[in-house]
Amino acid sequence: MVAPGDKAVKTLEHKVVVITGAGSGIGRALALSALKQGANVALSDWNLPAVEETRRLADVTPGRILVRQVDVRSDDEVGAFADLVQSKMGGAHVVVNNAGVSLSDAVGSMKREDFAWLMDINFWGVVRGTEAFLPQMKTRDEGHVVNISSVFGLIGVPGQSAYNASKFAVRGFTEALAQELEGSRIHVSVVCPGGIKTGIVANGRHYQTANGEATTTEETAKKFEQLAGTTSERAAEIIWKGVMRNDARILVGPDARLIQAMVRLFPNTYPSLVRTGMALSERLRGIRM
Ligand SMILES: NC(=O)c1ccc[n+]([C@@H]2O[C@H](COP(=O)([O-])OP(=O)(O)OC[C@H]3O[C@@H](n4cnc5c(N)ncnc54)[C@H](O)[C@@H]3O)[C@@H](O)[C@H]2O)c1
């Protein structure tokens, strides 16, 4: 048994850190930051040129980075990557299940194919990554599982039912796992970022706004660029700090802290505050344009 507060991963130096979706945004920033802190990293993404670019940006000795094309929708690919990390790097100390996509549409008009696509990546991708790497951590009774949820795993938002479902599911899965691992030296964090300036919206599928109006991915991405207030680099800094502290929940950005406070204080009436917030940001956007 481990004393409460015992930290399994106190530093990233010489640790093996696995990150999915490391070809862009938060995943890339986490990888570059982990390397700076002395970790060896195993990076995957379904977009091979993008994750190769992360390797190029890191500019460290080849032995410290393993890069592979992995689609988190495939049990076989995720399993083979875990085997490779075991054989080439001695197994994972930290796994960050980060790969994700976005979708905006309303219940009723949303295509089942789009909903299933998102769940397979955002939720089942997290489950696959956790299941594949957990045995390596259990063998040495040391490690940290970091699963990326969202503030949309804390509140529901119109037009985001699929994304909300995936991120609430990631949070529930992760909070249950944390309790299953209590007393071991394997720690678990769920990360809830607010708006982070990344390609998450530009890389997604967007058909309807929160107000139910037709939109395009390009238009939604433009709006998101103006709303997202935190850089990926700052997000990575906050996430690694939270992991070192063994925080069960890591909130990223002032908007995330505000949203958590709002949902705690007003669990029944927060939707009207969300509507007011959205109307206000629309108005501010109009002023800025
Ligand atoms: N950016 C935000 O505002 C924000 C807020 C809350 C949560 N998040 C979450 O953070 C995580 C990272 O997103 P980001 O904002 O850096 O977006 P991003 O689009 O910049 O990066 C996501 C990465 O995941 C990869 N990916 C997508 N599907 C994949 C698959 N099937 N297999 C392997 N890789 C795949 C993409 O190629 C990309 O490199 C996601 O889970 C996202 O939901 C982001």
Side-chain angles (χ1 to χ4, degrees), residues 22-37:
S24 173
I26 299 171
R28 173 177 284 170
L30 283 170
L32 298 178
S33 167
L35 282 161
K36 277 200 191 118
Q37 294 174 63

Side-chain angles (χ1 to χ4, degrees), residues 219 222-224 226-227 279-289:
E219 198 176 86
K222 257 194 215 154
K223 281 189 192 173
F224 178 72
Q226 292 171 334
L227 280 179
L280 196 67
S281 68
E282 278 289 311
R283 217 176 292 159
L284 286 174
R285 225 169 43 78
I287 292 167
R288 259 185 264 153
M289 271 165 43

Side-chain angles (χ1 to χ4, degrees), residues 151 154 190-194 238 249-253 256-258 260-261:
V151 286
L154 300 172
V190 64
V191 179
C192 298
I238 293 168
R249 183 181 298 178
I250 302 171
L251 298 169
V252 183
R257 291 196 297 277
L258 187 72
Q260 168 156 291

Side-chain angles (χ1 to χ4, degrees), residues 20-27 44-47 50 70-73 97-101 121-122 148-151 163 167 192-201 203 224 228:
T20 70
S24 173
I26 299 171
S44 70
D45 203 292
W46 66 1
N47 184 340
V70 176
D71 187 334
V72 298
R73 289 176 296 177
N97 290 302
N98 163 76
V101 289
I121 297 168
N122 287 13
I148 311 290
S149 173
S150 168
V151 286
Y163 191 79
K167 295 300 184 178
C192 298
I196 315 296
K197 295 176 188 297
T198 70
I200 188 76
V201 175
N203 296 332
F224 178 72

